[in-house]
Amino acid sequence: MAANEEDSALVKLELACSDLRTLLLSSAKLEKDLEEMEKKFDSIDEKLSTAAKRVAPLQSLAMAAKALETRINRAVSPALGLLHSFKLSESFQKKLIELSDKLSIEKNPRKRLKKLLKYVQCVDQLNEVINLISRDGEPVIQKLQEVVEFLSRTKATDQYRTQRLKETLITLKALYESEVDAMRFDGLLDEALLNLQDEFEIMLQQMKHQNIGEQQADEEADQTLVSDLGTEMEVQVLRRIAETLSASDCLDICIDIFVKVRYRRAAKALMRLNPDYLRTYTPEEIDEMQWQSLETSISLWIQHFELAVKTVFVSEKKLCKQVLGGLPEVLIWLECFVKIADKIMAVFFRFGEGVARSNREPQKLFKLLEMFDSLEKLKLEFTEIFEGESGADICIRFRELEKLLVHASSKVFWEFGLQIEGTSDFFAPPQDGSVPKLVRYAVNYLKYLTTETYSAPMAKVFQTEQMWKAGILSKPETDESLLKDAISNIMEALQRNIESKSPSYKDKILPHIFVMNTYWYIYMRSRNTELGKLIGEQYMKQKYKSAAEESAYMYQWRAWRPLVRLLEKEDSEEQDNGTKATAVVRGKLEAFFNRFDEISQRHARGYSIPDADLREQLREATVKLVVPVYSEFLNAHSKLLSGESYVSPESLKGLVGQVFNGTDRTSNGKPKRRDSKDTVPGRNSVSVEGELKNFRRSRSKSIDA
């Protein structure tokens, strides 16, 4: 076993030695091959070095030619582009002439607009090409000149080619210097821009405000309806023209045309309303106007102001934005709109300020409130229309006018109260005890003021004024509370005026008639109205109705109670004998009817109770006071009066009724005595006047006897 293993190891060793010898032989051969290859590489390198030395001059020459080509191309290519631009400008000019001819003969409005749009596009293209020539011309010529100088200096090409390049440079330079300014300022482009300005103005003039006069005539028309001034195509063309003029350094001309034309159009639209009243605007001139004329003028001012803001200026603002909104100057359209509206608004403001500064007559309050209310309703929309810094001045003047109206309205109201206080010393009360004109005027004035139309603006005026005095951060009273306090002050002034005048009567009955009539008038005219609701119905009853009823009682006590006392029974009548008692009774009746006639004459000539309802109540109360006592007197003395003619109780009732019949008066002021058939039973029917005469006649005979 060991011998076999040793043999196997020996065989492997021999094989390994054999492989090693083979490897050594291969390595020697490889080394020899490498030496041969190195010799060959050295030979090739030597040949390449020789070739490179021979090719180097040609390579430098090729690089120089390439650099020269690049330099020439950098100058020649822009020059070719410049020449191409000149050709384009020539073609666009020809196209402009063709379009201009077509425009001049086109009659169809829509087709003409389309052709005009193409004309504008062609003007834009020509302008762009001319601007390109103007911008690139000098740099192109400069580069070309540098190339010519380089070739001349370096003699990189032959003299013939250099000369041709020089001639091309001279021609291009002369063309640029002679044509560019003419193309920009004296050529077809300038003429085309003038044509566009004319077209721009004509199109703007053709855009009119429709139905302005008709809206004024039709009270039910919706004046806030805003219509487009032009069609979509017209607006598009105007916008393109404005952009073209702006791009051609004609923006100022474009704006001047737009403002001038649209101002005239807006003014003419409002002139169709015939606002002649706006010519009178100073406070002195307004004070000289008749009230009816001024009232009409203020009403028209309110309508026209609202129409101008909501309709005319909204349309004008929309057109400004549509036409000028695309210009590079973003807010230029707002400035143009303000320029259009400024002069027109100044005329409206001028009239409003004149009214606010004119004399503060009481009747002006309602028109001042109407003006103030209209501005309040327009305030938000007005601010939106005249937005931004451009409209700041107009908005300031709007607020100043509101302030003037607030101060004027407040002054008129409080001065009206002072006038009521002041009249107590200078004007006597009515001689017949009727309601003074001042009371009638004041009550109806306050009634009108507390209606829905005027109560809210008046309260707003008070609240605004209080806020100005106390500061914005203060907590003002409610509108209703402020208005109630103000009205109550006027009512109290009116009451003080009444109380101060009632003692001036010499007649003892007239003060009560005067106070009764006046307070009854105030109560009856105020109840179930907005004035009564504001002050309080219960307060009105306690304050004025009670005072009127108290004065009515005092009137009856002063006027009719003495008459009744004449018929009161006296103890001496029972002690007199028959003849003497009859004379006493007849004397009382005579005194009664004499006093009754005196009272009737006073009522006919000196006393006035104009309210029919009040007269009826007084008549009923007086009948209840007088007739029962008279009837009782007749019944008590019927035996003494038998066979005598006297007025029956029913006839007396009719006579009392005639005293309070405020309409049946003769020319001399005496009440008419209507015939009555209500006589004592068994007597012939005679008139009341006849009964009084018969009674007096029989009484006279008995005295004579």
Side-chain angles (χ1 to χ4, degrees):
M1 293 288 292
N4 291 334
E5 291 178 357
E6 289 178 0
D7 291 338
S8 176
L10 186 60
V11 170
K12 291 180 180 179
L13 182 60
E14 290 177 353
L15 290 172
C17 289
S18 178
D19 291 337
L20 182 60
R21 284 193 296 271
T22 303
L23 182 62
L24 289 172
L25 290 173
S26 298
S27 175
K29 186 179 180 181
L30 181 62
E31 184 178 356
K32 185 178 180 180
D33 291 339
L34 287 173
E35 290 177 356
E36 291 178 356
M37 288 180 66
E38 185 176 358
K39 291 178 180 179
K40 290 179 179 179
F41 278 128
D42 290 339
S43 176
I44 292 170
D45 185 48
E46 185 179 354
K47 291 178 180 179
L48 287 174
S49 298
T50 303
K53 291 178 181 178
R54 293 176 180 175
V55 173
L58 295 175
Q59 187 177 7
S60 298
L61 186 60
M63 291 177 64
K66 186 67 177 177
L68 181 61
E69 180 185 4
T70 302
R71 189 162 190 169
I72 292 173
N73 286 338
R74 286 178 181 173
V76 172
S77 295
L80 293 175
L82 184 62
L83 290 173
H84 179 68
S85 297
F86 275 111
K87 291 180 180 179
L88 283 177
S89 70
E90 186 178 357
S91 66
F92 288 142
Q93 290 180 41
K94 291 179 180 179
K95 188 177 179 180
L96 273 179
I97 294 173
E98 294 175 1
L99 289 172
S100 179
D101 293 339
K102 291 179 180 179
L103 273 175
S104 62
I105 61 175
E106 184 60 64
K107 301 300 181 184
N108 185 284
R110 185 167 184 80
K111 291 182 179 179
R112 194 176 190 283
L113 284 175
K114 291 181 179 179
K115 286 183 173 60
L116 183 57
L117 192 58
K118 291 180 180 179
Y119 187 83
V120 175
Q121 292 172 349
C122 189
V123 172
D124 288 338
Q125 292 171 337
L126 177 59
N127 188 40
E128 185 179 354
V129 170
I130 292 176
N131 287 336
L132 183 64
I133 293 172
S134 178
R135 184 190 68 210
D136 298 341
E138 289 186 4
V140 166
I141 293 173
Q142 181 66 29
K143 288 180 181 180
L144 194 60
Q145 187 170 356
E146 290 174 358
V147 169
V148 170
E149 291 174 354
F150 174 78
L151 292 175
S152 300
R153 185 175 63 253
T154 60
K155 296 181 181 181
T157 185
D158 58 87
Q159 187 176 0
Y160 174 72
R161 288 191 175 91
T162 303
Q163 184 63 31
R164 285 183 60 188
L165 198 57
K166 284 182 179 180
E167 292 174 356
T168 303
L169 173 63
I170 294 170
T171 304
L172 187 60
K173 189 174 182 180
L175 178 65
Y176 174 78
E177 291 176 352
S178 62
E179 292 294 329
V180 171
D181 288 343
M183 290 168 64
R184 292 185 64 187
F185 305 112
D186 298 324
L188 277 175
L189 178 61
D190 184 64
E191 184 179 343
L193 292 175
L194 291 175
N195 290 338
L196 288 182
Q197 292 171 21
D198 293 338
E199 293 287 346
F200 192 66
E201 184 172 357
I202 291 170
M203 289 184 66
L204 288 173
Q205 285 177 343
Q206 291 173 346
M207 292 182 173
K208 301 178 181 179
H209 293 272
Q210 303 297 328
N211 304 323
I212 295 295
E214 288 76 359
Q215 285 184 3
Q216 176 68 16
D218 184 4
E219 295 181 356
E220 298 181 358
D222 185 6
Q223 296 186 358
T224 62
L225 180 63
V226 180
S227 59
D228 292 334
L229 293 175
T231 64
E232 185 177 351
M233 176 67 77
E234 289 173 335
V235 171
Q236 181 184 0
V237 173
L238 285 171
R239 185 183 183 94
R240 287 298 305 275
I241 293 176
E243 292 172 352
T244 299
L245 293 175
S246 175
S248 303
D249 296 330
C250 298
L251 179 60
D252 292 342
I253 298 174
C254 174
I255 291 173
D256 288 343
I257 293 173
F258 191 93
V259 172
K260 177 185 69 175
V261 175
R262 292 318 307 168
Y263 164 73
R264 289 177 180 174
R265 272 294 157 212
K268 283 185 178 180
L270 293 172
M271 286 301 292
R272 293 205 295 268
L273 303 175
N274 298 321
D276 295 334
Y277 62 91
L278 292 175
R279 299 172 192 232
T280 304
Y281 56 87
T282 64
E284 295 76 17
E285 291 175 331
I286 289 174
D287 289 336
E288 293 175 359
M289 292 177 66
Q290 295 292 329
W291 169 243
Q292 289 183 345
S293 178
L294 178 59
E295 190 176 23
T296 303
S297 298
I298 294 174
S299 298
L300 290 174
W301 180 89
I302 294 170
Q303 296 174 17
H304 296 171
F305 190 93
E306 181 179 357
L307 182 66
V309 172
K310 289 188 173 183
T311 303
V312 175
F313 291 143
V314 170
S315 298
E316 290 294 341
K317 183 180 180 181
K318 184 177 181 181
L319 183 63
C320 283
K321 187 173 184 179
Q322 288 174 331
V323 175
L324 305 177
L327 299 180
E329 294 79 357
V330 180
L331 298 179
I332 193 69
W333 68 272
L334 267 177
E335 295 177 7
C336 290
F337 166 66
V338 171
K339 287 180 181 178
I340 293 168
D342 184 57
K343 291 182 180 179
I344 298 175
M345 290 306 304
V347 175
F348 280 107
F349 286 140
R350 188 174 63 182
F351 178 83
E353 291 163 357
V355 172
R357 291 190 173 105
S358 61
N359 288 340
R360 298 183 178 97
E361 300 170 351
Q363 67 270 21
K364 280 186 182 176
L365 175 61
F366 302 102
K367 285 301 172 185
L368 290 171
L369 291 177
E370 288 178 14
M371 293 172 71
F372 172 73
D373 189 44
S374 69
L375 294 186
E376 277 292 298
K377 292 176 180 177
L378 279 174
K379 183 185 291 185
L380 180 60
E381 193 168 357
F382 191 92
T383 306
E384 291 176 354
I385 292 172
F386 296 98
E387 59 183 318
E389 186 178 352
S390 303
D393 290 340
I394 292 181
C395 289
I396 289 173
R397 196 161 182 185
F398 181 89
R399 290 192 292 271
E400 288 299 323
L401 177 56
E402 268 201 313
K403 289 181 181 179
L404 285 175
L405 291 172
V406 167
H407 286 306
S409 301
S410 177
K411 288 283 186 182
V412 170
F413 181 85
W414 294 119
E415 286 182 11
F416 176 63
L418 294 176
Q419 289 174 7
I420 292 175
E421 294 273 12
T423 56
S424 58
D425 298 329
F426 298 103
F427 297 97
Q431 295 181 357
D432 57 359
S434 59
V435 182
K437 291 181 179 180
L438 175 64
V439 174
R440 294 176 183 272
Y441 183 83
V443 171
N444 287 286
Y445 189 89
L446 297 178
K447 276 178 62 179
Y448 200 49
L449 184 61
T450 52
T451 57
E452 186 178 357
T453 304
Y454 299 105
S455 59
M458 190 75 252
K460 181 69 174 178
V461 165
F462 290 142
Q463 188 181 47
T464 304
E465 192 174 43
Q466 185 189 54
M467 192 178 298
W468 288 344
K469 291 178 180 178
I472 299 176
L473 299 179
S474 63
K475 294 183 178 179
E477 299 180 37
T478 61
D479 292 355
E480 184 175 349
S481 176
L482 288 170
L483 184 62
K484 180 179 179 180
D485 292 344
I487 298 285
S488 297
N489 287 335
I490 299 295
M491 296 291 284
E492 290 174 3
L494 197 61
Q495 185 177 358
R496 289 192 294 271
N497 182 282
I498 295 168
E499 297 297 337
S500 66
K501 287 183 177 180
S502 60
S504 61
Y505 288 105
K506 295 180 180 180
D507 189 304
K508 294 181 179 180
I509 299 173
L510 271 174
H512 305 297
I513 294 178
F514 169 71
V515 174
M516 174 187 66
N517 280 331
T518 306
Y519 283 146
W520 185 258
Y521 179 87
I522 294 174
Y523 172 71
M524 293 300 293
R525 292 299 181 275
S526 302
R527 69 171 187 169
N528 299 327
T529 65
E530 295 299 328
L531 175 60
K533 292 177 183 177
L534 180 66
I535 298 178
E537 296 287 352
Q538 193 63 30
Y539 177 83
M540 295 295 293
K541 287 182 180 179
Q542 295 175 356
K543 190 78 171 178
Y544 300 106
K545 186 181 180 183
S546 298
E549 291 174 345
E550 182 179 350
S551 296
Y553 175 79
M554 292 303 299
Y555 151 76
Q556 195 175 54
W557 180 265
R558 289 281 188 181
W560 298 99
R561 186 64 183 172
L563 179 66
V564 173
R565 286 195 187 126
L566 293 175
L567 298 180
E568 288 180 351
K569 186 176 181 180
E570 299 178 3
D571 294 338
S572 60
E573 292 180 17
E574 296 179 355
Q575 300 173 1
D576 293 337
N577 56 32
T579 303
K580 189 175 181 180
T582 300
V584 171
V585 169
R586 292 181 65 84
K588 283 191 173 186
L589 285 175
E590 181 72 20
F592 176 85
F593 282 107
N594 285 337
R595 184 62 181 268
F596 185 88
D597 192 51
E598 180 185 347
I599 294 173
S600 299
Q601 293 297 325
R602 283 188 180 182
H603 279 77
R605 294 177 179 174
Y607 301 161
S608 174
I609 305 174
D611 188 87
D613 182 57
L614 180 60
R615 285 200 312 272
E616 181 61 23
Q617 293 185 47
L618 290 173
R619 184 193 67 79
E620 292 177 359
T622 304
V623 167
K624 290 179 180 179
L625 175 66
V626 175
V627 173
V629 173
Y630 179 76
S631 180
E632 183 181 353
F633 181 83
L634 291 181
N635 291 334
H637 303 91
S638 58
K639 293 180 180 180
L640 298 175
L641 295 173
S642 66
E644 299 293 335
S645 176
Y646 53 88
V647 178
S648 67
E650 289 300 323
S651 299
L652 181 61
K653 184 177 180 181
L655 287 173
V656 173
Q658 288 185 14
V659 171
F660 294 99
N661 189 345
T663 57
D664 293 341
R665 297 183 182 276
T666 60
S667 59
N668 61 359
K670 293 183 179 180
K672 295 180 181 179
R673 300 292 176 86
R674 293 190 292 260
D675 290 342
S676 175
K677 297 182 179 180
D678 298 326
T679 56
V680 178
R683 301 285 181 183
N684 294 327
S685 297
V686 294
S687 66
V688 174
E689 184 72 21
E691 289 198 40
L692 285 172
K693 289 181 178 179
N694 291 336
F695 175 79
R696 292 191 182 107
R697 192 182 304 115
S698 61
R699 170 62 180 160
S700 177
K701 289 180 180 178
S702 62
I703 291 174
D704 293 340

